[in-house]
Amino acid sequence: MQEKIKIKLNCYNNGKNFPCFRILSDEKILTEEYNYTASHYEKTFQLELSEGKHTIVIEHFNKYPKHSLVKESKIIKDVAIELIELCFHEIKCSSLELYNCNFYIENWPDKKINNSVITNSLYFGYNGRFVYPFKSPSIKYILGEMKKYQVENSELDDFKISEDEFISKLDHHTELEKKYYNNS
Amino acid sequence: MAMYYPPPAPAFLKSILLKAGHTCKTIDFVSDFFYSFQKHPRWTEIDNWNALANYQNKEIETLIEEKVEDWAKKILEYNANWVGISIFSYESHRIGKLIVEKIKMLDPTQKILMGGTGITNVSEPYAEKLLEKGLINAYITGEGEETILEFAKNNFDFPGINNKNFINVSKKVLDNMPEADYSDYNLKLYGKENLGIYLRTSNHTLKDMTETENTMSITGSKGCVRKCSYCDVPYVWPKFIHRSGDIVANEIIEKSKKYGVRRFHFTDSLVNGSMKEFRIMCDILAKHNVDNNANIVWNGQFIFRPIKQHTPEDWELIAKSGASVLEVGIESASDEIRFQMGKKFTNDDVAYELEQCSKHKITTWPLFIIGYPTETEKHVNEYKKFFERFHPYAYDKTILNLELGGTLRIQPNTPDYTNLPKMGVEFIPMPNGPREDMLWWNPANPTLTLSERIRRRLMLGKVAKNLGYSIPSEEKDLKFLWSKWNQLKDIEKEFLDARKNKN
């Protein structure tokens, strides 16, 4: 199955050190960037994938904690990458879905942090792997995920109401409203 | 949904594209949807599914999804460079999104263009969101007559393409438009539903109305001469532009000869905006009808005017020209509120116009909006008196049907949207998603809550029905309002609670 996958990243550097990252599909490296100097990255990959489960992995590597320049406890310059957009055939994945994906911290000197998992962030400041699992054909999968993350207000699955029944409910409701709100 | 006349937009755009040397094919899914489901026991729910974003029902959704997937397959068989989807109103949003999803699922490379009033003037940034998500590749707002040609030339910088900075077409373009190309449509499917309406008319109009006739659309003007407070037509068409009366009349006569159709439906916001051109058109049609026994009839939106602006001679001419059903925005039964809305006629003017219609066997379809922000119990009583006063016309079918609607929606790009907040009317924010046009509150008339507006609407519907009026959309309105009430009542309550606590 032909899949066209577009990835857009913002890339951050501290002026001396630049991010290194690679993009993989099912553990196969699609591209690798060492010391990427531009602030934006965008690339489209054409893949032939079998029907079923697959992954896209964005891996950030070769960073050291000293690459983050800190002033008054705040990072003022950093080496990192940030996922801006992941598209399949120009159709964007839901950002809510992306925020729910895991980033696995790897090869990080601080043992307390190493091997832990981060969600709710698309800014990859540690070394590690962001994993986006999906199914091919991708469009069906992505649209299904969009629906899953769509927030609906008070879903209604029963239309059965008679005019008199509804009017009586409204009579009751408006009476309560008058009593409650007009006493303020 | 209704099958009164075939959707003209694709037919017009096709003729414009063909004239410019492009190729184009139109597919009419309106009729397919209608005839596929009309006899289904759950037709009302299926029909309502389109208008109600919060209505979820697995069985209905499966039915619609299967149908839409078939449409997507059919579209893709043409291997078109672009697929254009015409969205008529917010009621087409749900199915419009579904069809683009299905097309993209089957062929993600298919380029899709969306257009229509349903993406031009709606609260929700509907087309914008679909474009952002990559589900469509472009959209056109405003009128498409000129824009579609620029689009076909890949001039994506033309105003109205992927933005709302559309420009209006000129009278010259309007007068020189090629005839709409309905060759891909099955016109025989249209107009039959009219019979359902006309069969209910009394004998004197029955003869003229019950023949198995198809209906064709005709456009005489764009825009409106009024600037009614609730209406967004002046936003899309700041200036009223009309074709010459003789051109319109002759087009009707020519189409009638060419297609063997004698019933026409005007797409105009009003047919009698320019009385001069309207009289010319009626005069030519009347002569044609009388001299040739042609029996051409037409329906369309019409404005009632103050007494004497339509003379008795005008009414005689209107009748002879073939006026059949006039859709009239009376909008309120109260003179006071009607004038607040920008309507410039009184209930006595209505009495005169209806008397003339009755005399000349012309039927009307009055439209109302219940629950205007200043409406009080006094005005509700005026509604009751209005229905009582004019109910004899419901019996002789001068008033064919009433349209009482789903209460006032404060839509963007209307005078109400700008002016009502200045009077203190507040829009109640939705917790998730865009503003809801039905959800507003007037602190100066605090008991007129959403529930009260719906209560008045249903109660007045009952009053009208008991007096003999026909309200064909009553069942659909009931279900629509029930769904909206369930969706919005708690949001309104939370808002009112917060207001009470604040005070």
Side-chain angles (χ1 to χ4, degrees), chain A residues 89-92 147 151 153-159 161 163-164 166 171 173 177 180-182, chain B residues 45 52 54-56 108 132-134 432 447 449 451 455 458 462 465 474 479 482 496-497 500:
Chain A
H89 303 281
E90 298 298 326
I91 294 173
K92 276 187 198 173
K147 242 181 205 170
V151 184
N153 295 310
S154 318
E155 288 184 1
L156 179 76
D157 56 11
D158 182 14
F159 254 147
I161 184 91
E163 187 177 60
D164 288 336
F166 191 12
D171 281 338
H173 192 88
E177 279 179 346
Y180 185 64
Y181 298 115
N182 285 355
Chain B
E45 280 114 304
L52 298 170
N54 66 321
Y55 175 50
Q56 311 288 325
E132 216 266 323
K133 283 179 180 168
N432 302 297
T447 56
T449 57
S451 307
R455 190 191 69 78
L458 296 178
K462 268 188 93 166
K465 281 183 286 183
E474 194 66 345
K479 288 182 169 29
W482 170 238
L496 293 174
D497 282 345
K500 185 183 161 81

Side-chain angles (χ1 to χ4, degrees), chain A residues 2-4 85 87-94 137-141 143-144 146-147 150-175 177-184, chain B residues 42 45 48 52-57 61 65 97-98 101 104-105 108 132-135 430-432 446-447 449 451-452 454-455 458-459 461-462 465 474 478-483 485-487 489 491-493 496-497 500-501 503:
Chain A
Q2 269 282 336
E3 297 289 5
K4 189 175 150 193
E85 204 174 288
C87 294
F88 286 74
H89 303 281
E90 298 298 326
I91 294 173
K92 276 187 198 173
C93 297
S94 147
S138 59
I139 303 294
K140 194 176 175 186
Y141 172 80
L143 293 175
M146 272 185 199
K147 242 181 205 170
Q150 212 173 347
V151 184
E152 294 287 357
N153 295 310
S154 318
E155 288 184 1
L156 179 76
D157 56 11
D158 182 14
F159 254 147
K160 290 180 189 80
I161 184 91
S162 72
E163 187 177 60
D164 288 336
E165 202 184 335
F166 191 12
I167 291 176
S168 138
K169 277 180 194 290
L170 289 164
D171 281 338
H172 179 68
H173 192 88
T174 48
E175 273 311 306
E177 279 179 346
K178 276 176 198 161
K179 267 186 207 163
Y180 185 64
Y181 298 115
N182 285 355
N183 286 338
S184 57
Chain B
R42 300 183 72 179
E45 280 114 304
N48 263 307
L52 298 170
N54 66 321
Y55 175 50
Q56 311 288 325
N57 181 288
E61 274 182 25
E65 283 203 16
K97 182 167 177 267
L98 186 60
E101 285 176 352
K104 290 286 186 184
M105 265 186 213
E132 216 266 323
K133 283 179 180 168
L135 286 168
M430 292 288 283
N432 302 297
T447 56
T449 57
S451 307
E452 175 60 11
I454 296 175
R455 190 191 69 78
L458 296 178
M459 181 270 294
K462 268 188 93 166
K465 281 183 286 183
E474 194 66 345
L478 173 73
K479 288 182 169 29
F480 172 81
L481 291 169
W482 170 238
S483 164
W485 190 64
N486 278 284
Q487 182 195 358
K489 69 176 190 305
I491 298 167
E492 184 184 52
K493 184 179 179 300
L496 293 174
D497 282 345
K500 185 183 161 81
N501 293 335
N503 293 338

Side-chain angles (χ1 to χ4, degrees), chain B residues 324-357:
Chain B
S324 174
V325 182
L326 305 179
E327 296 159 22
V328 185
I330 294 177
E331 310 305 351
S332 178
S334 153
D335 286 351
E336 186 187 349
I337 288 187
R338 196 182 308 115
F339 273 77
Q340 285 173 19
M341 289 172 162
K343 295 268 175 197
K344 295 173 181 170
F345 57 88
T346 64
N347 286 346
D348 289 340
D349 297 326
V350 172
Y352 165 78
E353 302 278 50
L354 288 175
E355 185 194 333
Q356 291 295 321
C357 288

Side-chain angles (χ1 to χ4, degrees), chain B residues 207-428:
Chain B
K207 184 177 169 291
D208 288 340
M209 292 178 167
T210 54
E211 289 168 29
T212 308
E213 287 287 346
N214 308 316
T215 306
M216 289 192 83
S217 65
I218 182 95
T219 301
S221 66
K222 303 262 190 178
C224 187
V225 292
R226 299 264 186 269
K227 284 193 168 41
C228 298
S229 65
Y230 53 83
C231 181
D232 56 15
V233 166
Y235 165 73
V236 183
W237 282 95
K239 211 176 153 193
F240 176 67
I241 299 174
H242 54 83
R243 301 169 71 197
S244 306
D246 55 338
I247 293 179
V248 179
N250 289 328
E251 187 182 322
I252 290 175
I253 293 165
E254 285 311 308
K255 274 185 172 172
S256 175
K257 286 176 185 165
K258 186 173 171 183
Y259 295 104
V261 168
R262 64 172 190 87
R263 185 181 305 285
F264 291 85
H265 187 107
F266 278 90
T267 63
D268 306 35
S269 297
L270 76 175
V271 292
N272 57 335
S274 161
M275 279 308 293
K276 184 185 158 208
E277 299 300 336
F278 181 62
R279 284 183 181 118
I280 292 171
M281 180 194 82
C282 288
D283 191 43
I284 295 171
L285 288 176
K287 277 197 182 90
H288 178 76
N289 273 343
V290 173
D291 294 349
N292 304 290
N293 202 18
N295 217 4
I296 284 174
V297 291
W298 56 266
N299 309 327
Q301 294 187 66
F302 185 91
I303 52 168
F304 276 176
R305 293 174 180 271
I307 296 173
K308 289 180 185 169
Q309 284 196 19
H310 290 137
T311 63
E313 292 74 30
D314 281 333
W315 278 110
E316 195 177 339
L317 192 64
I318 294 169
K320 282 182 179 164
S321 75
S324 174
V325 182
L326 305 179
E327 296 159 22
V328 185
I330 294 177
E331 310 305 351
S332 178
S334 153
D335 286 351
E336 186 187 349
I337 288 187
R338 196 182 308 115
F339 273 77
Q340 285 173 19
M341 289 172 162
K343 295 268 175 197
K344 295 173 181 170
F345 57 88
T346 64
N347 286 346
D348 289 340
D349 297 326
V350 172
Y352 165 78
E353 302 278 50
L354 288 175
E355 185 194 333
Q356 291 295 321
C357 288
S358 177
K359 184 178 169 189
H360 295 287
K361 300 178 177 56
I362 295 170
T363 57
T364 62
W365 191 323
L367 319 171
F368 290 90
I369 298 171
I370 291 166
Y372 200 67
T374 50
E375 186 188 278
T376 62
E377 277 301 329
K378 180 189 94 171
H379 303 114
V380 174
N381 287 330
E382 288 183 61
Y383 259 103
K384 291 177 188 167
K385 283 180 190 155
F386 182 98
F387 290 149
E388 278 167 27
R389 179 178 179 182
F390 295 115
H391 86 280
Y393 292 127
Y395 282 96
D396 79 357
K397 289 296 170 193
T398 299
I399 294 176
L400 185 62
N401 295 310
L402 290 183
E403 181 67 56
L404 298 184
T407 75
L408 179 74
R409 308 173 73 93
I410 302 179
Q411 291 183 286
N413 304 314
T414 60
D416 275 349
Y417 188 79
T418 315
N419 297 333
L420 290 175
K422 287 181 196 160
M423 289 164 51
V425 172
E426 296 174 40
F427 297 125
I428 300 176

Side-chain angles (χ1 to χ4, degrees), chain B residues 37-94:
Chain B
F37 298 122
Q38 162 211 23
K39 288 189 177 145
H40 193 282
R42 300 183 72 179
W43 163 241
T44 315
E45 280 114 304
I46 293 170
D47 194 17
N48 263 307
W49 178 91
N50 282 306
L52 298 170
N54 66 321
Y55 175 50
Q56 311 288 325
N57 181 288
K58 199 76 205 146
E59 186 196 335
I60 305 281
E61 274 182 25
T62 305
L63 274 175
I64 294 173
E65 283 203 16
E66 283 170 1
K67 172 54 70 187
V68 173
E69 192 165 334
D70 286 347
W71 292 350
K73 285 177 187 161
K74 191 173 175 186
I75 288 171
L76 289 169
E77 280 171 12
Y78 290 98
N79 288 319
N81 288 334
W82 281 93
V83 169
I85 295 172
S86 173
I87 302 288
F88 182 64
S89 77
Y90 76 94
E91 291 199 26
S92 304
H93 282 185
R94 210 171 174 185

